[in-house]
Amino acid sequence: MDAISYQRATDVNSAIAAAQRPGAMFIGGGTNLLDLMKGGLTHPVTLVDITRIEALDKVETLPNGGLRIGALVRNSDAANHTLVRTRYPLLSQALLAGASPQLRNMATVGGNLMQRTRCPYFYDTAFTQCNKRAPGSGCAAIGGFNRMHAILGASAQCVAVNPSDMSVALAALDATVQVSGPRGARTIAFSAFHRLPGDRPDLDTTLQSGELITSVDLPPPIFSEHAHYLKVRDRASYAFALVSVASALQLDGHRVRTAHIALGGVAHRPWRASVAEQHLTGRTLSAAALREAAAAELAQAKPLDGNRFKVGLAQRAIVRATLLAAGGTGDFT
Ligand SMILES: Cc1cc2nc3c(=O)[nH]c(=O)nc-3n(C[C@H](O)[C@H](O)[C@H](O)COP(=O)(O)OP(=O)(O)OC[C@H]3O[C@@H](n4cnc5c(N)ncnc54)[C@H](O)[C@@H]3O)c2cc1C
């Protein structure tokens, strides 16, 4: 058993100071970190409990009309907040598609962004090959059971996928991640927050050691009327996505003025479907146009032996999610 010291931070500065100690880790809801510790995958020396930092437990409007969601806002509270439901229904839908009510009551926004992959070879230390867990050891998933794994942006080192539903919506909404660290505060564009694996699959994000996520900021809402989060999974609830799609549109009649589409369950980070978006922009929306756009996006897919089905599934999910987005958020808000 590891000896772990526990420190409760009451403000951002004391949390950051405590996190500079070797082996220190922040703990939010603990719904992922405690599992990682129990599985022997993570060995913090000090746990810095950030859940009492009141300043980070707020949802507030920004001067530009956007919304700031504090890093400690629980997933349930974020999903059910009136401003999130009415202005960013895509985010609310994605949050409610994740985990279970009990987990969402504990999980924080910051922790959700930082949750680690659900690749079984990463979690099971009986498998010695996992470049994410033990850099340089290999990847058992590439020649193994890889039904749940990546079809886009993977590398010869790692084919794991990011499991967060919330992050797929945030990618489509062009959110930013606000962070503070020993060298001050900075803003990270959502597209630059999660990484592709490349030759460093042990690094999930571009967050630096000792940096604290303080909030997720959303730009002014332009997709409140036409947005849909579709999650395709093996069970109707309490299951991670095989493929998910966050689709958000601005329409002029039937013509697409703006399309923002992000995919989950297909890559090491939420995958912004920019090829599909370009195909749709300026076009009249139809099932045929959507099928063409989705096929163009998935043309770059490199499936593994066990997940070829995801290529067609992702295409059909883009079509369905975007048609549902076009139909309007209606009663959801
Ligand atoms: C059975 C089960 C099913 C699940 N199903 C889903 C699902 O379908 N979809 C989905 O999206 N998720 C799912 N989850 C994952 C769940 O959403 C995450 O565990 C949760 O969001 C993590 O948040 P947390 O606050 O508990 O993080 P913690 O476990 O406290 O922390 C996770 C990581 O984030 C770091 N961290 C936390 N807060 C900060 C911060 N402010 N700044 C910097 N680093 C920070 C911690 O150091 C740690 O490394 C599931 C989890 C379980 C256990």
Side-chain angles (χ1 to χ4, degrees), residues 73 90 93 138 196 220 319:
V73 174
L90 184 67
Q93 291 172 12
L196 288 179
V319 174

Side-chain angles (χ1 to χ4, degrees), residues 25-35 50 71 75 97-99 103 106-108 110-112 114-115 118 163-166 207 211-214 231 238-240:
M25 286 188 84
F26 298 121
I27 181 162
T31 61
N32 188 214
L33 183 55
L34 293 178
D35 280 352
I50 53 177
N75 286 187
L103 283 159
M106 287 302 293
T108 62
N112 192 315
M114 295 295 290
Q115 64 174 293
R118 293 283 157 171
S164 167
D165 289 294
M166 180 186 78
L207 196 73
E211 279 187 324
L212 177 73
I213 299 168
T214 53
K231 180 173 179 180
Y238 207 41
F240 290 93

Side-chain angles (χ1 to χ4, degrees), residues 121 131 138-146 149 154-159 304-306:
Y121 299 102
N131 287 322
C139 174
I142 288 175
F145 182 71
N146 48 38
H149 290 74
S155 74
Q157 300 262 324
C158 181
V159 292
L304 302 157
D305 285 346

